[in-house]
Amino acid sequence: MKVPYLDLKAQYESIRGEIGDAIQQVLDRTAFAGGPFVAQFEKEFAAFCGTRFSAGVGSGTDALWMALLALGVGPGDEVVTVPDTFIATAEAISWCGAKPVFVDVDPITYNMDPSKVEAAITPKTRAIIPVHLFGQMANMDPILAIARKRRLFVVEDASQAHGAEYKGKKAGSIGDAGCFSFYPGKNLGAYGEAGAVVTSNEELDRKIRMLRDHGQAKKYYHSLIGWNARMDGIQGAVLSVKLKHLDAWTEERRRNAKRYDELLRNVPGITVPVEAPYAKHVYHIYAIRVAERDRLIASLAEKDIHCGIHYPIPLHLLDAYKSLNLGKGFFPVAERSAAEFVSLPMYPELTPAQIYRVAGEIATLLESERRTVV
Ligand SMILES: Cc1ncc(COP(=O)(O)O)c(C=O)c1O
């Protein structure tokens, strides 16, 4: 029995009719760039997140970039974030002309360690970007308290956390802005590239809408230098269909995570993910930690079980950020987890039989390794 890391086809098959109808409507109205289907999705997604506004953009990277630009982040500024995230979090900072300043993460949740944030703040700091890694929100209260005290903006990178909660509040609704990716493999994934910025700040929303559309509020009256970061009409229509299913899919992910937890928790050599008491985890990624992970991943692949690594190199050690002069040892928690993470197959349509197979093979492989060592 093959277990792929992700099975987008299985989900598509379950909603094929609805998707076909939705795309046909976009074609019939030739509403390809922005337009009514994007506007409809924006309304629905803001309601889902519990914010007043949502602006659809071209990708999660655009969402982060537009949010920072709209908040006035620019050359000479610094933005505090974490090194264990996808590079887009830092790229958005860099493309504003600002400098990413990393702080290490908490060893249990792998999210921004609030106790490390104050020390990273300088007179140049303008904003903090906590990343809700793997679908679990960062510990927002202490981060917000620091931001308020230091008059900094908070931009949530919620690209992996659609529907996740912190003390009952939805991802994206707590900071000044929340940024989402709808990359196809995400919990709410488009059928192409797309993203959104949610906020309850009307002025911020207005500015993001202008920036994503060449700095214009009225056609050809450009009051800002913006960019083309609009969302496609087809993506808006697809996302509206998929949003209706998201809560049910999230429950399936949570059920699958529980099954993995139960089967793997007591296997020696494995650390399973922990759901923090304040959090509702949506398990975009189910990452365990294993010391000899490369061997494990290769052995599983031989058995047609396919895993991922998110992410093998923390941002401060990537060539792209060599100029920051941050070597090994700067962020030990992020470095250690990057060396040990294994992302197991995780999607709503994963069957109990597939989960038993993955967990069973992992337990057998680790047990035989232990025997060899002894
Ligand atoms: C944490 C995080 N931030 C930002 C992004 C960028 O999103 P996109 O790929 O839609 O540009 C992603 C998605 O890959 C992500 O996982």
Side-chain angles (χ1 to χ4, degrees):
M1 181 202 312
K2 178 178 176 157
V3 190
Y5 175 66
L6 201 61
D7 189 352
L8 295 182
K9 189 80 190 293
Q11 186 168 91
Y12 169 59
E13 291 298 348
S14 74
I15 52 171
R16 174 192 274 267
E18 290 171 82
I19 290 287
D21 291 348
I23 291 178
Q24 190 60 53
Q25 284 185 43
V26 181
L27 300 180
D28 289 343
R29 292 180 65 180
T30 62
F32 299 127
F37 296 94
V38 172
Q40 178 63 26
F41 171 68
E42 288 174 338
K43 243 185 6 208
E44 294 163 356
F45 194 60
F48 175 81
C49 293
T51 56
R52 289 178 63 205
F53 309 102
S54 153
V57 293
S59 66
T61 311
D62 280 348
L64 288 159
W65 186 33
M66 298 290 121
L68 292 173
L69 285 175
L71 289 167
V73 173
D77 292 338
E78 292 178 357
V79 177
V80 174
T81 191
V82 289
D84 70 335
T85 176
F86 183 57
I87 192 170
T89 316
E91 278 176 328
I93 300 167
S94 300
W95 279 102
C96 289
K99 178 182 164 190
V101 174
F102 300 122
V103 295
D104 210 350
V105 294
D106 173 84
I108 307 293
T109 63
Y110 316 122
N111 279 324
M112 180 176 277
D113 183 342
S115 72
K116 303 270 165 60
V117 174
E118 288 256 30
I121 294 171
T122 75
K124 295 178 178 171
T125 311
R126 292 293 301 274
I128 304 174
I129 308 185
V131 179
H132 305 322
L133 196 75
F134 300 158
Q136 171 153 256
M137 289 181 67
N139 190 2
M140 293 300 290
D141 280 348
I143 295 171
L144 287 172
I146 296 165
R148 251 180 240 124
K149 193 168 84 183
R150 302 296 202 108
R151 296 175 173 273
L152 304 173
F153 297 115
V154 174
V155 174
E156 296 172 61
D157 186 342
S159 295
Q160 303 186 1
H162 317 72
E165 292 178 16
Y166 176 80
K167 299 183 179 174
K169 287 189 193 143
K170 284 264 172 71
S173 70
I174 297 182
D176 295 280
C179 298
F180 289 86
S181 163
F182 303 122
Y183 185 73
K186 295 292 196 257
N187 288 25
L188 180 61
Y191 286 169
E193 304 280 352
V197 185
V198 300
T199 180
S200 291
N201 178 333
E202 189 165 9
E203 177 55 22
L204 188 61
D205 177 70
R206 192 185 67 83
K207 206 143 177 216
I208 289 164
R209 285 168 186 281
M210 288 173 71
L211 286 168
R212 74 172 178 187
D213 193 18
H214 298 292
Q216 61 186 354
K218 183 177 165 195
K219 205 167 174 68
Y220 301 132
Y221 289 77
H222 306 273
S223 39
L224 301 169
I225 298 173
W227 196 252
N228 176 0
R230 295 179 297 246
M231 183 191 277
D232 284 353
I234 285 179
Q235 303 314 333
V238 165
L239 288 166
S240 279
V241 169
K242 294 185 78 178
L243 183 59
K244 293 187 185 74
H245 297 274
L246 183 58
D247 284 337
W249 288 335
T250 296
E251 288 317 306
E252 293 298 336
R253 283 178 183 273
R254 289 176 57 77
R255 202 165 309 154
N256 293 342
K258 253 206 187 89
R259 285 194 179 111
Y260 273 137
D261 285 348
E262 279 158 16
L263 296 165
L264 294 172
R265 184 179 287 131
N266 297 319
V267 175
I270 291 184
T271 307
V272 297
V274 173
E275 185 172 45
Y278 59 68
K280 179 179 177 183
H281 199 317
V282 296
Y283 296 100
H284 171 55
I285 287 170
Y286 186 94
I288 58 171
R289 283 173 55 194
V290 179
E292 295 294 328
R293 67 109 182 269
D294 292 340
R295 240 187 357 241
L296 177 70
I297 290 174
S299 306
L300 288 169
E302 277 169 22
K303 295 173 184 300
D304 227 356
I305 294 171
H306 303 276
C307 300
I309 300 176
H310 300 88
Y311 297 89
I313 306 173
L315 301 190
H316 67 289
L317 300 179
L318 287 172
D319 284 348
Y321 279 110
K322 242 198 303 217
S323 62
L324 294 175
N325 287 320
L326 299 165
K328 259 196 177 142
F330 269 81
F331 307 108
V333 181
E335 288 166 30
R336 183 168 171 206
S337 35
E340 296 184 349
F341 276 144
V342 181
S343 307
L344 303 188
M346 170 55 81
Y347 40 93
E349 299 76 16
L350 198 63
T351 64
Q354 286 176 309
I355 294 172
Y356 285 121
R357 166 134 206 270
V358 174
E361 294 290 358
I362 290 174
T364 309
L365 286 164
L366 290 183
E367 178 59 24
S368 73
E369 255 179 39
R370 250 160 34 96
R371 286 228 185 96
T372 318
V373 172
V374 174

